[in-house]
Structure formats: structure tokens, C-alpha cells
Amino acid sequence: MLSKTMVDALNEQIKVEFESSNIYLQMAAWAAWKGYEGAEAFLRAHSEEERMHMMKLFGYVGETGSLAVISAMEQPKSEFDSLASMFKQILEHERFVTGRINKLVELAYEEKDYSTLNFLQWYVAEQHEEETLFSSLLDKIELIGHDGRGLYLIDRELGKQAAAHAAGGE
Ligand SMILES: [Fe+2]
Ligand SMILES: [Fe+2]
């Protein structure tokens, strides 16, 4: 049985993951609108992944006999200056999410809630993976992605990553 504080905190994280999914879906729409097909595929796949993060939390809250609650979500931003600035915002957002996960871990420690602590380990690893992925992508974009040809190469690279992901890779 989870404490009320823990259920509220997990429900808050459901919102954060859902919002992440919406943010990346909206970014996918922007990428498509700008003609970045690779980025669109990549962002769509990432949006799905965030939905999976949300569903995992949703499942855990329910399994522990508590009520998962979906709350109102913020409307994602729909305009971006460039692909580089969009990816910068993604990295910032992932850092924000990592901070939220860390807060949940702290709460689980404080409450000696070892089941939730164990459950959260997956998110700790996942955030590490995502921050690494997005910071390396941002490095690449900043290195080669500022002119037409560079952006074309970046978009192709993002498309390849999305295809590899769809084929079952990470
Ligand atoms: Fe996530
Ligand atoms: Fe994420």
C-alpha cells in the first residue's frame, strides 16, 4: 500500500510523462511542417516511448491498489526557431524530468517505500540513457547542422535512428 503522498507524487509523474509525449508529438508535427522527415519519425517514436513511460507508472499505481489519476496537461509549444534550438529544448526538458525522477527517489527513501524505490530504478537508468542520447545528438547538430547540407545530414541520421528503434534497437 502506497502512502497518499507517494500516490500523489506518482500521479504527478504520470502527468510529466504524458506532457513529454505531447511535447515530442507537437515537435514531430513542426518537423514534418518544416520538411525534416527524419526528425519527424524520430520524434514520433520518442513520443510513443514517453507514452510507454506514462503507462508503466499508470500500471504500477493501479497494481498497488491506488487510483491512477490523469490530470489536465499543459499545451506544448508549437513553434521553434530551428532544429538546433528544438533539440536544445528537448535536452533541457529531459534534465527537468531527471530532476523529477530524483525527487521521487528521495521521497521513496524518506518513506522507506522499497517497492517504489525498486520500481523507480528503471526510470533512473532510462533518464541517464535519454540525456546521453540527446546531448550527443545536440553536439552533432551544433557541429554540422547549421547549413542546408548539414541539416540534411542530421535529418538523415535522425531518420536512421528512428528506423533502428522501430526494428527493435534502442
Ligand atoms: Fe520519460
Ligand atoms: Fe524522456
Side-chain angles (χ1 to χ4, degrees):
M1 190 72 184
L2 303 178
S3 75
K4 163 100 173 65
T5 315
M6 185 53 85
V7 174
D8 289 348
L10 291 170
N11 277 331
E12 191 55 35
Q13 192 62 27
I14 286 180
K15 179 183 179 211
V16 169
E17 301 294 346
F18 228 142
E19 280 179 343
S20 303
S21 178
N22 286 347
I23 287 169
Y24 298 144
L25 192 61
Q26 183 64 68
M27 285 176 170
W30 181 85
W33 182 57
K34 288 283 173 182
Y36 298 123
E37 284 173 20
E40 181 201 0
F42 177 88
L43 289 160
R44 271 178 185 256
H46 208 72
S47 169
E48 285 295 329
E49 212 170 288
E50 298 296 349
R51 188 182 156 79
M52 184 269 282
H53 298 171
M54 183 279 293
M55 287 306 291
K56 232 173 138 72
L57 280 153
F58 181 86
Y60 178 74
V61 171
E63 273 162 31
T64 55
S66 304
L67 179 68
V69 174
I70 312 293
S71 36
M73 275 167 275
E74 236 175 86
Q75 182 177 7
K77 232 177 108 171
S78 57
E79 298 239 16
F80 304 92
D81 294 335
S82 64
L83 203 60
S85 103
M86 195 177 74
F87 270 83
K88 201 175 248 169
Q89 288 175 41
I90 295 180
L91 182 58
E92 277 163 19
H93 181 71
E94 289 298 337
R95 286 181 176 149
F96 158 78
V97 176
T98 301
R100 297 300 295 254
I101 295 292
N102 291 345
K103 285 257 177 267
L104 276 172
V105 170
E106 278 166 34
L107 180 65
Y109 259 117
E110 277 167 25
E111 296 205 343
K112 297 191 169 56
D113 180 345
Y114 299 114
S115 162
T116 303
L117 195 58
N118 181 55
F119 169 74
L120 290 170
Q121 294 316 302
W122 185 87
Y123 287 85
V124 172
E126 182 67 17
Q127 282 311 119
H128 169 74
E129 217 175 83
E130 292 199 351
E131 278 197 38
T132 308
L133 168 71
F134 287 120
S135 79
S136 83
L137 279 174
L138 189 59
D139 284 348
K140 276 189 198 169
I141 293 170
E142 286 186 339
L143 203 65
I144 61 170
H146 285 284
D147 60 14
R149 186 173 156 73
L151 286 169
Y152 171 76
L153 291 173
I154 288 294
D155 191 50
R156 211 174 56 172
E157 165 72 17
L158 289 168
K160 268 191 218 157
Q161 291 215 17
H165 187 88
E170 271 297 299

